[in-house]
Amino acid sequence: MSVRAWDGTTYDRISQTMEALGLEVLARLELEGGETVLDAGCGSGRITQALAERLPRGHVIALDESASMVDAARERLAGLVDDGKVEIRRGDLLELELPEPIDAILSTATFHWIADHERLFARLHTALRPGGRLVAQCGGEGNIDVLRSKAAAVLAHEPYARHFADWHAPWNYAAPEATRERLLAAGFATAECWLTPAPREPEQPREFLATIVLGPQVQQLPEALREPFMDEVLAALGDPVVVDYVRLNIEAVA
Ligand SMILES: C[S@@+](CC[C@H](N)C(=O)[O-])C[C@H]1O[C@@H](n2cnc3c(N)ncnc32)[C@H](O)[C@@H]1O
C-alpha cells in the first residue's frame, strides 16, 4: 500500500519535470511496436501516452493504486482507452497479477514509494514472459539529500516539530548494488543498475515541491501550517530552486 496520498489533477498539470525524466527512460526501452507493456505506477498517464504512441500494434496496461491518479489518467487517456490501446487498472504493484505474461514493464518515478522491493521485483518478474524486459527509473541512494536536509532543518523546530514526533520517512532510495542483487534473487536472469545525478529546476517550484517532492511532509502538517512551512523551505533553498535528484536506473531481463 502507498505511504502517501496523490492529487492526480495537480500532478498532471505540474509534472513536466517528471515527464522529461520519464521520456528519457522510455527511450531506453526497445520496442518493435506490437508488444504488451505494463506502465507500473502510471500516475496521471503522461508517460503512458508516449508509450502507447510507440506501440502502433501493441497494448499498454497502465496500473496505479491511487484513485486520484487513475481518475486523471482516465481523463488524459480517454481516446486511447476507447480504442482499446490502453487498459487502465487500479491496483497495488505488490499484489500484481496479470492474466497473461507480458513483454515488458516500464516504470518511472514510482519504485522509491514502495518499501518492499523484494516483493515488488518478484511480482514484476512473475508478470513477464521469459526474456521479457524491465526498464525503470526511480529515486536512488542520495536522492534529494540537500533538499530533504533543508526541509528537515525547518521541521526540526516548532510549530512543525510536534507533528513529526512519530513520523517515518516514507521513501526507499535504494542503492544500485543492493537493487541488482534483489532483482537477481527475484528471478531476473540479468540486471544492470546505476545512479544518475539529475538536478532539475522545476517551473512552479512551490507547487512542485508541495505536491510531489515534499508531499509526505506537507500532508503530515495541519492545513494552517502548510504554507508557512513552504515559505520557510523556499527561503532556505534560495533562488533558483534546485531539486537535487539522483535517479536509480534499472534494466533487467526475466
Ligand atoms: C511520482 S508518481 C509517477 C507517475 C508516472 N509514472 C510519472 O513518471 O509521472 C508515482 C506513482 O506511483 C504510484 N504508486 C506508488 N506505490 C504504488 C504501488 N504500490 N502500486 C501501484 N502504484 C503505486 C503512485 O500512486 C503514483 O501515482
Side-chain angles (χ1 to χ4, degrees), residues 234-247:
L234 287 167
L237 288 171
D239 189 28
V241 170
V242 177
V243 181
D244 55 320
Y245 281 131
V246 177
R247 310 313 274 177

Side-chain angles (χ1 to χ4, degrees), residues 171-249:
W171 44 77
N172 175 11
Y173 295 141
E177 302 75 25
T179 301
R180 181 170 179 276
E181 281 166 23
R182 287 185 192 119
L183 287 160
L184 296 176
F188 283 90
T190 65
E192 271 186 72
C193 303
W194 71 98
L195 293 176
T196 319
R200 291 290 187 275
E201 293 176 17
E203 282 170 32
Q204 299 118 305
R206 173 180 284 264
E207 237 182 335
F208 187 84
L209 294 184
T211 306
I212 302 177
V213 186
L214 298 176
Q217 291 94 324
V218 169
Q219 287 167 18
Q220 183 73 10
L221 288 167
E223 198 74 40
L225 290 181
R226 293 179 179 181
E227 292 304 323
F229 165 67
M230 287 308 304
D231 288 342
E232 289 197 45
V233 171
L234 287 167
L237 288 171
D239 189 28
V241 170
V242 177
V243 181
D244 55 320
Y245 281 131
V246 177
R247 310 313 274 177
L248 171 65
N249 299 285

Side-chain angles (χ1 to χ4, degrees), residues 1-4 6 11 15 18-19 22 39-48 63-67 69 91-94 107-114 120 212:
M1 274 298 290
S2 184
V3 285
R4 58 160 297 178
W6 290 95
Y11 184 84
S15 58
M18 310 316 296
E19 182 181 25
D39 185 355
C42 64
S44 66
R46 280 179 179 246
I47 301 298
T48 320
L63 184 138
D64 202 287
E65 73 171 3
S66 154
M69 286 292 207
D92 185 347
L93 286 166
L94 293 175
S107 183
T108 56
T110 293
F111 291 173
H112 55 271
W113 296 113
I114 299 175
L120 171 68
I212 302 177

Side-chain angles (χ1 to χ4, degrees), residues 104-187:
I105 298 172
L106 176 75
S107 183
T108 56
T110 293
F111 291 173
H112 55 271
W113 296 113
I114 299 175
D116 188 347
H117 279 184
E118 282 86 356
R119 184 178 170 109
L120 171 68
F121 296 154
R123 299 312 308 163
L124 297 183
H125 180 263
T126 302
L128 286 167
R129 65 165 170 77
R133 286 151 304 143
L134 167 64
V135 172
Q137 187 186 72
C138 60
E141 189 178 35
N143 193 48
I144 56 167
D145 267 359
V146 173
L147 197 148
R148 278 186 297 136
S149 69
K150 292 199 171 169
V154 174
L155 292 172
H157 64 74
E158 296 301 351
Y160 313 111
R162 77 190 68 151
H163 300 285
F164 286 81
D166 300 320
W167 188 72
H168 298 287
W171 44 77
N172 175 11
Y173 295 141
E177 302 75 25
T179 301
R180 181 170 179 276
E181 281 166 23
R182 287 185 192 119
L183 287 160
L184 296 176

